[in-house]
Amino acid sequence: MNPITICDLNYYFGKKALAKQVLCDINLEIEAGEIVILTGPSGSGKTTLLTLIGGLRSVQSGSLCTLGKELFQASEAELVQLRGQIGYIFQAHNLLPFMTAQQNVQMSLELQQDLSSPQVVFKAQAMLAAVGLEDKTNYYPDNLSGGQKQRVAIARALANQPKLILADEPTAALDSKSGREVVNIMYRLVKENHSTILLVTHDTRILDIADRIIYMEDGRLAKRTEAL
């Protein structure tokens, strides 16, 4: 089963006479274990597509299956359940400022009812060590650099070892060195967990990590290029 299968997907902003089509006849399959980069001009529909795949918007027409779940006409409860199976990484790290790095990571682990409190703490610390922040566990976000905050966000997203990770411009706010470090960490952890990742980016410096690059323009998938 492919983690993402899309057939004839269309999406509109607005209604009736004011409706503007932002996704046009999207057909796409992403296989398990693939690292796929989605790139293209601003306003081409990349983030809209990503949020539909992640159950953050409702599918209006066509078919979209994420992790085996058909999202067309899915209920809000079904979308909430799906979101719990996906790791999300965004340009804004979205860390809670009143929580330490460890507490931010623990928050995602605490949703797992089969983990005891000591197991949650252990896994959070192990994930922070995996992203090179074992000495920053008790730091608050305000005391971390941009790259370190994004590493915490990665640790939080991957703590539950999700089979699908969706990343939207994860390096956009980082300098080239920090951005490369963050992407290398994502690549290593995703491969270790045998996860699939769909990454939206304008950052041409990180295209080399992809198994496949997909280009979007004016709401359509323009062309596909196998990564070298």
Side-chain angles (χ1 to χ4, degrees):
M1 179 189 68
N2 291 332
I4 299 173
T5 302
I6 304 172
C7 296
D8 301 326
L9 181 71
N10 295 279
Y11 193 80
Y12 301 82
F13 286 148
K15 296 181 179 179
K16 297 183 179 180
L18 298 177
K20 177 184 177 182
Q21 190 166 7
V22 292
L23 294 179
C24 308
D25 300 323
I26 302 296
N27 290 276
L28 176 65
E29 289 192 12
I30 295 178
E31 297 180 1
E34 270 197 296
I35 295 180
V36 176
I37 283 181
L38 180 61
T39 190
S42 296
S44 58
K46 302 184 302 299
T47 294
T48 300
L49 179 57
L50 196 77
T51 54
L52 284 165
I53 291 170
L56 300 172
R57 299 178 190 270
S58 295
V59 175
Q60 296 171 341
S61 71
S63 173
L64 197 169
C65 288
T66 301
L67 298 176
K69 174 65 182 176
E70 173 59 62
L71 301 190
F72 179 61
Q73 296 185 331
S75 68
E76 181 59 29
E78 289 172 323
L79 294 177
V80 169
Q81 185 179 32
L82 175 71
R83 291 171 206 151
Q85 302 175 51
I86 298 172
Y88 298 92
I89 305 168
F90 298 105
Q91 175 180 343
H93 49 76
N94 295 325
L95 301 180
L96 294 176
F98 53 85
M99 287 186 172
T100 65
Q102 181 175 316
Q103 289 169 335
N104 269 282
V105 177
Q106 284 178 197
M107 196 171 58
S108 66
L109 290 165
E110 286 165 353
L111 298 175
Q112 290 189 319
Q113 298 179 351
D114 58 335
L115 291 178
S116 66
S117 294
Q119 287 174 317
V120 166
V121 171
F122 176 80
K123 289 193 73 171
Q125 291 176 344
M127 279 305 305
L128 287 169
V131 299
L133 293 178
E134 59 269 27
D135 59 338
K136 307 290 184 186
T137 56
N138 293 318
Y139 280 53
Y140 288 91
D142 283 350
N143 300 121
L144 298 172
S145 68
Q148 289 169 338
K149 290 174 187 176
Q150 198 62 300
R151 291 190 197 190
V152 176
I154 291 170
R156 181 181 58 189
L158 301 185
N160 289 324
Q161 296 183 311
K163 291 301 180 185
L164 177 62
I165 296 97
L166 302 177
D168 192 4
E169 299 286 3
T171 64
L174 305 177
D175 60 52
S176 58
K177 182 175 182 293
S178 296
R180 189 72 222 187
E181 289 174 350
V182 160
V183 165
N184 287 344
I185 289 168
M186 287 173 57
Y187 179 88
R188 173 173 54 81
L189 293 176
V190 165
K191 288 298 184 182
E192 287 176 359
N193 293 335
H194 306 291
S195 301
T196 302
I197 184 166
L198 177 60
L199 191 157
V200 167
T201 188
H202 288 103
D203 191 346
T204 58
R205 301 167 299 184
I206 66 171
L207 298 182
D208 60 300
I209 72 162
D211 297 314
R212 184 157 49 116
I213 302 169
I214 299 173
Y215 295 89
M216 178 170 270
E217 190 169 352
D218 297 328
R220 299 179 183 273
L221 300 184
K223 60 180 180 178
R224 304 178 189 188
T225 304
E226 294 299 323
L228 298 178

